[in-house]
Amino acid sequence: MKKKILCTFLASLLAFGCPVSAFAAEITATAIPNSRNLEGWGDFSDGMCLVMQDRSKLGYINTAGKVVIPPTYTYARDFSEGKAMVVIDNKVCYIDKTGTVVISTGLNYDYDAYGWANKGETEFKNGLACIYGPGGWGSINASGKVVIPFQFDEPYFFNEKGMAQVFLNGDMNYINTKGKLIFPTGYSAIGENKDGTWIGIRHDQITHAGFLHSEYSSYDVLDAKGNIIKTNVKTSAGKNYDMIALAQATLDDYGLSKDRYLSISLPVDGIATASLLYDVAVANYGGVRNVYIDTKTGREIAGPFNQANDFREGYALVSKDVTDGLVTYSYYGLINKKGQPALPLEYDPAINSKGLSEGHMLAKKNGTLYLIKNTSHKGGFTDVSSADYFYKPVKWAVEKGITSGVSDTSFAPNQTCTRGQIISFLWRAAGSPQPSISNPYSDVKSNDYFYKAALWACEQGMAEDTSFAPNAPCTRAMAVEFMWRYDSSPSYAAELPFYDVNADADYTEAIAWALDAGVTAGTSETTFSPDSTCTRGQIATFLYRGFSK
């Protein structure tokens, strides 16, 4: 923490090398009353951010800058899908946004184990959360039921394909959302290729040949279902790179001089951070080393900065250090993608924060906590940014009345889309017609939000059987099949390039239709991943591509 502010508004402008008019009006900073004993803790998630009081207790603040759940918890994690993990009387629980306990696991909180869960593994994603129990890590569902037994060595979370990387008895593997191992055991490393196949390296096949290079004599090639396609594939000896040589090799890709730069990071939205050589930084900038590069032009657009985070939601969190006697203080602010200052270098960001999230950020100045807000953050939802691929689809779907958020401020784009939700979306897209048949489903009640949509789907031949399974996750195959049937099931005989789609599968024509309509492509050149679950953001995108024109 800073003891005093050394940078004034004008000093911040000079540090950026920009005139006063360069500050972006869309970034505002509002002091939060009575907040001198509060610290921000992390980023906003699901419209809430953790705050710590007196360096001891955690609570939650909302995007209006109001502490809505008082700091009473010794341990707490971010909100996701309307719930957050907290520790009460050393027991792991989940609360809703009113602070009410909705899941009591009865499990003891293990400080050492949860120290490894630093990437959001314990947060709910697609209806599942990873927690620690007797025997290791497992998963519970939104009702608190253990659906994946406690057995894994490390915490994990599921990706957009419904797969999670796990470690079990020293082996690396992947599981599906039912906890079933996808690949054979005995691999020390498993990775996916661009063509949708996977590589499995067995423990006895690895010999280290360099600092950043592992050489092995053979490995298994597997398909996405874990079947071994071929094995004992010989490899030639690789080049023995060291870290500096490997980092500098990437400079050539952007036409950057090795006489000025040491390395460059992977670009985000066409902008990357580059590290100046030590002697260049010392001679010209007092040791400050990080600059931003426009990778299209190879030119520096901002810097140098002591810390330079990746761009998030159109802005990057940056810092410069100022030394006062024997003490050095760090001062943070925001820049936009043109390299212009958007928030002056006067703040301490929330602990562990990397910048704006859901259009907001917490930061301190002169001992007071401030709510930093991007007023141009669009979409109507705090979890939908104009930089997201699903921004336009969500906006379109909401404007058309096809869908709404899970709350007034949250769309939950990463939440698993259920069969009940997608059929409701399609029903509304059709104008919400009144069904004329009796309810054929044993698991659909008249007070369910999807009641009329489910009956309409049955009436239109889009869904059959005596049960609808409205709460089951909607897979990629289900999504395109529903949409294809909604489009009157046009006939398609296209030859598909996907080895994971059988020619005689019920959804083959639907996938061919989806490719032709531009609804979606494969997850790789040779895979479609028909059984992978879809998120709300993905479904909104499918509908937008299929029916917005």
Side-chain angles (χ1 to χ4, degrees):
M1 287 299 297
K2 303 186 296 291
K3 296 179 181 178
K4 57 183 179 179
I5 299 297
L6 300 178
C7 296
T8 63
F9 186 83
L10 180 58
S12 297
L13 292 174
L14 295 174
F16 278 113
C18 299
V20 174
S21 61
F23 278 93
E26 63 266 18
I27 300 295
T28 61
T30 304
I32 298 173
N34 306 314
S35 62
R36 297 188 68 86
N37 64 342
L38 291 179
E39 301 280 351
W41 198 273
D43 294 321
F44 276 89
S45 175
D46 210 6
M48 307 277 268
C49 186
L50 282 161
V51 289
M52 178 174 279
Q53 181 174 296
D54 298 325
R55 298 287 181 101
S56 60
K57 299 291 185 179
L58 290 162
Y60 295 89
I61 193 170
N62 64 14
T63 53
K66 181 180 179 181
V67 177
V68 289
I69 300 178
T72 58
Y73 306 106
T74 56
Y75 183 89
R77 302 306 293 260
D78 288 340
F79 266 90
S80 179
E81 299 183 8
K83 293 179 282 294
M85 175 189 159
V86 298
V87 175
I88 302 175
D89 296 330
N90 205 45
K91 298 292 184 182
V92 175
C93 304
Y94 282 82
I95 58 173
D96 64 17
K97 291 185 179 180
T98 68
T100 302
V101 175
V102 291
I103 298 175
S104 297
T105 68
L107 297 170
N108 290 327
Y109 168 66
D110 188 306
Y111 176 85
D112 292 330
Y114 280 97
W116 290 97
N118 58 4
K119 297 180 180 178
E121 296 94 336
T122 60
E123 299 162 21
F124 271 94
K125 293 180 178 66
N126 299 324
L128 296 176
C130 184
I131 62 173
Y132 188 77
W137 291 89
S139 289
I140 59 172
N141 63 16
S143 300
K145 180 182 178 180
V146 177
V147 292
I148 297 179
F150 303 117
Q151 57 181 312
F152 298 108
D153 303 338
E154 297 180 13
Y156 56 86
F157 54 81
F158 289 92
N159 61 23
E160 67 278 1
K161 296 181 181 180
M163 303 170 65
Q165 184 186 93
V166 296
F167 290 87
L168 179 62
N169 300 322
D171 291 349
M172 178 191 288
N173 213 311
Y174 280 79
I175 58 173
N176 60 22
T177 53
K178 295 182 179 180
K180 182 180 178 181
L181 293 174
I182 297 174
F183 300 103
T185 60
Y187 294 119
S188 62
I190 300 175
E192 187 175 11
N193 295 318
K194 291 183 179 180
D195 64 357
T197 61
W198 293 72
I199 293 292
I201 305 172
R202 297 193 177 277
H203 289 280
D204 59 353
Q205 294 177 341
I206 296 180
T207 59
H208 294 287
F211 188 67
L212 284 180
H213 181 76
S214 293
E215 183 183 337
Y216 41 89
S217 60
S218 62
Y219 55 87
D220 294 337
V221 180
L222 308 109
D223 64 22
K225 295 183 178 180
N227 300 309
I228 296 177
I229 300 173
K230 55 184 176 181
T231 191
N232 198 35
V233 179
K234 299 295 182 181
T235 65
S236 59
K239 185 176 180 181
N240 185 10
Y241 291 108
D242 60 36
M243 178 174 283
I244 294 177
L246 185 62
Q248 287 193 337
T250 62
L251 297 175
D252 291 333
D253 296 337
Y254 303 105
L256 301 181
S257 170
K258 296 183 179 64
D259 293 330
R260 179 171 175 80
Y261 304 102
L262 174 65
S263 63
I264 184 170
S265 70
L266 291 174
V268 176
D269 295 334
I271 301 174
T273 55
S275 177
L276 299 171
L277 289 174
Y278 178 77
D279 53 351
V280 172
V282 171
N284 299 328
Y285 309 106
V288 185
R289 300 184 65 175
N290 299 301
V291 297
Y292 287 94
I293 303 289
D294 182 337
T295 55
K296 293 182 180 178
T297 63
R299 295 179 178 178
E300 294 179 19
I301 62 169
F305 300 107
N306 289 91
Q307 291 189 40
N309 290 282
D310 286 340
F311 276 85
R312 295 172 61 171
E313 302 184 4
Y315 297 89
L317 181 67
V318 298
S319 79
K320 282 196 173 182
D321 293 347
V322 175
T323 299
D324 180 18
L326 298 177
V327 182
T328 299
Y329 305 96
S330 295
Y331 298 89
Y332 288 79
L334 295 171
I335 62 170
N336 63 23
K337 289 185 177 180
K338 294 182 179 180
Q340 300 168 332
L343 183 73
L345 292 166
E346 299 177 352
Y347 295 86
D348 285 328
I351 297 170
N352 298 325
S353 175
K354 299 298 182 182
L356 288 170
S357 178
E358 299 184 353
H360 296 78
M361 182 179 80
L362 293 178
K364 290 202 90 167
K365 182 172 73 171
N366 292 337
T368 297
L369 191 64
Y370 280 74
L371 178 68
I372 313 300
K373 182 177 180 180
N374 177 9
T375 60
S376 66
H377 191 271
K378 304 295 183 181
F381 303 113
T382 59
D383 52 2
V384 177
S385 164
S386 57
D388 294 324
Y389 74 87
F390 47 75
Y391 168 69
K392 286 184 178 180
V394 169
K395 186 173 183 292
W396 167 81
V398 171
E399 289 175 348
K400 295 294 184 183
I402 293 172
T403 182
S404 59
V406 296
S407 71
D408 291 340
T409 59
S410 178
F411 183 77
N414 298 317
Q415 181 177 316
T416 296
C417 186
T418 65
R419 285 169 53 88
Q421 288 173 338
I422 188 173
I423 211 65
S424 297
F425 296 166
L426 289 169
W427 174 66
R428 292 169 191 151
S432 304
Q434 293 293 320
S436 58
I437 64 171
S438 300
N439 183 5
Y441 299 121
S442 60
D443 53 358
V444 175
K445 298 184 175 69
S446 60
N447 60 347
D448 290 328
Y449 74 87
F450 46 78
Y451 174 73
K452 291 183 179 180
L455 268 59
W456 167 79
C458 181
E459 191 175 47
Q460 298 299 313
M462 297 170 61
E464 301 171 351
D465 212 340
T466 57
S467 62
F468 185 72
N471 297 317
C474 179
T475 65
R476 286 171 54 84
M478 288 179 193
V480 297
E481 192 170 13
F482 277 137
M483 293 176 66
W484 172 65
R485 290 178 177 175
Y486 173 73
D487 199 33
S488 302
S489 306
S491 179
Y492 273 84
E495 184 175 343
L496 298 176
F498 309 125
Y499 71 78
D500 57 356
V501 177
N502 294 328
D504 57 352
D506 292 339
Y507 46 73
T508 299
E509 280 192 294
I511 292 175
W513 167 87
L515 294 178
D516 185 60
V519 170
T520 183
T523 52
S524 74
E525 292 181 357
T526 58
T527 59
F528 185 80
S529 303
D531 298 326
S532 293
T533 55
C534 293
T535 64
R536 285 168 52 85
Q538 290 170 340
I539 292 298
T541 303
F542 290 175
L543 294 173
Y544 175 75
R545 292 171 180 168
F547 305 125
S548 65
K549 301 176 179 60

